[in-house]
Amino acid sequence: MTDYVLSDATREKLKKVSTASVATALYKRGLRNQFVQGVVPVERKPVTMVGQAFTLRYIPAREDRNPITVFRNRDHKQRVAVETCPEGHVLVMDARKDSRAATAGSILITRLALRGAAGVVSDGGVRDAAGIGALDMPAYFARPSAPTNLTLHEAIDINVPISCGDAPVFPGDVMLGDGDGVMVIPAHLADEIAEECTGMESYEDFVLEQVQAGAGIIGLYPATDEENLTKYAEWRERTGR
């Protein structure tokens, strides 16, 4: 879908910014639907998830196509997605926001983590959530759900455009996840969003210091008073930010 390759430099910049900053930067560009709705961390991690999207699409299961024996098929799309998701990428699963059945469990997600994935995002359920939450790799889901995916889902397509939590996700888009949730950054904007948000985070750190010291926000956030811009420049010089 895209020739874009996330550079190490851009990845490191994005690891230091928040979903909130990314949401604002995308909004400035007219993009309002890039937050994955209804998805939360399985377990909050001390790191920010950053990686390009590798997608798996589920459709509603039809009973005659999804007996338990389908897992004997070496080409089963769910298993193939886990075994082919590239290192440093995020496996993003479209379950149509139906969390009544799992989209994966701890064995598959552990395998994904050991293969070097940067994370996993599902707008459906996962089973064995405690095991997934114990992994170092960030994981996001709608809620725990014990039933096997075959109960309600059929894995049908790998690395195609999907919807995840009502957000459009194209293969190669950059997924950024923190404690608030997950943003989808269109691949062609990733570098400039990383650069802009780095500056935004710096200014917001300055603003927070000012507010904690008793400053009011009018003219400070956003910066409409020249005096505050001067203070910010001095703060950057002092802090190296």
Side-chain angles (χ1 to χ4, degrees):
M1 282 295 170
T2 179
D3 294 328
Y4 176 78
V5 176
L6 179 65
S7 68
D8 290 341
T10 294
R11 186 189 297 268
E12 288 307 309
K13 288 178 184 176
L14 288 173
K15 283 185 176 181
K16 297 174 183 175
V17 305
S18 67
T19 52
S21 292
V22 170
T24 299
L26 290 173
Y27 177 74
K28 291 176 183 176
R29 292 161 173 79
L31 296 170
R32 306 182 179 201
N33 190 36
Q34 299 304 115
F35 185 67
V36 180
Q37 298 291 338
V39 164
V40 296
V42 177
E43 189 74 33
R44 290 182 73 118
K45 302 296 180 185
V47 297
T48 298
M49 180 188 75
V50 178
Q52 290 186 261
F54 184 84
T55 65
L56 172 64
R57 183 170 74 95
Y58 284 103
I59 63 171
R62 200 177 76 187
E63 289 79 359
D64 64 327
R65 290 177 54 88
N66 288 278
I68 195 71
T69 53
V70 298
F71 284 144
R72 296 177 182 174
N73 180 0
R74 298 179 68 87
D75 295 324
H76 188 270
K77 292 291 196 299
Q78 183 202 45
R79 267 55 176 176
V80 172
V82 169
E83 291 292 344
T84 57
C85 179
E87 183 178 356
H89 281 55
V90 175
L91 178 61
V92 187
M93 295 185 279
D94 173 7
R96 314 170 313 284
K97 299 196 300 180
D98 189 342
S99 59
R100 294 175 296 159
T103 49
S106 64
I107 292 176
L108 270 64
I109 302 304
T110 298
R111 172 62 178 162
L112 189 70
L114 290 173
R115 291 192 60 254
V120 60
V121 181
S122 171
D123 65 359
V126 301
R127 64 201 305 196
D128 312 314
I132 295 172
L135 297 170
D136 291 335
M137 183 186 75
Y140 294 80
F141 72 154
R143 66 180 176 93
S145 188
T148 177
N149 66 300
L150 302 176
T151 309
L152 291 168
H153 306 303
E154 178 176 349
I156 199 76
D157 277 320
I158 295 174
N159 227 26
V160 297
I162 62 170
S163 168
C164 187
D166 294 329
V169 183
F170 290 83
D173 282 349
V174 177
M175 311 298 293
L176 186 144
D178 62 13
D180 286 350
V182 180
M183 290 296 300
V184 185
I185 307 173
H188 69 283
L189 294 175
D191 292 343
E192 65 181 80
I193 292 293
E195 189 65 30
E196 180 176 326
C197 288
T198 298
M200 288 173 62
E201 295 284 340
S202 171
Y203 185 70
E204 289 189 358
D205 286 346
F206 162 74
V207 168
L208 187 57
E209 277 192 20
Q210 297 297 301
V211 169
Q212 288 171 337
I217 61 169
I218 297 174
L220 173 65
Y221 189 68
T224 55
D225 289 355
E226 190 63 36
E227 177 187 357
N228 288 318
L229 293 174
T230 300
K231 287 181 179 179
Y232 175 53
E234 292 170 352
W235 179 87
R236 292 189 66 188
E237 181 70 24
R238 187 172 68 253
T239 63
R241 296 287 303 278

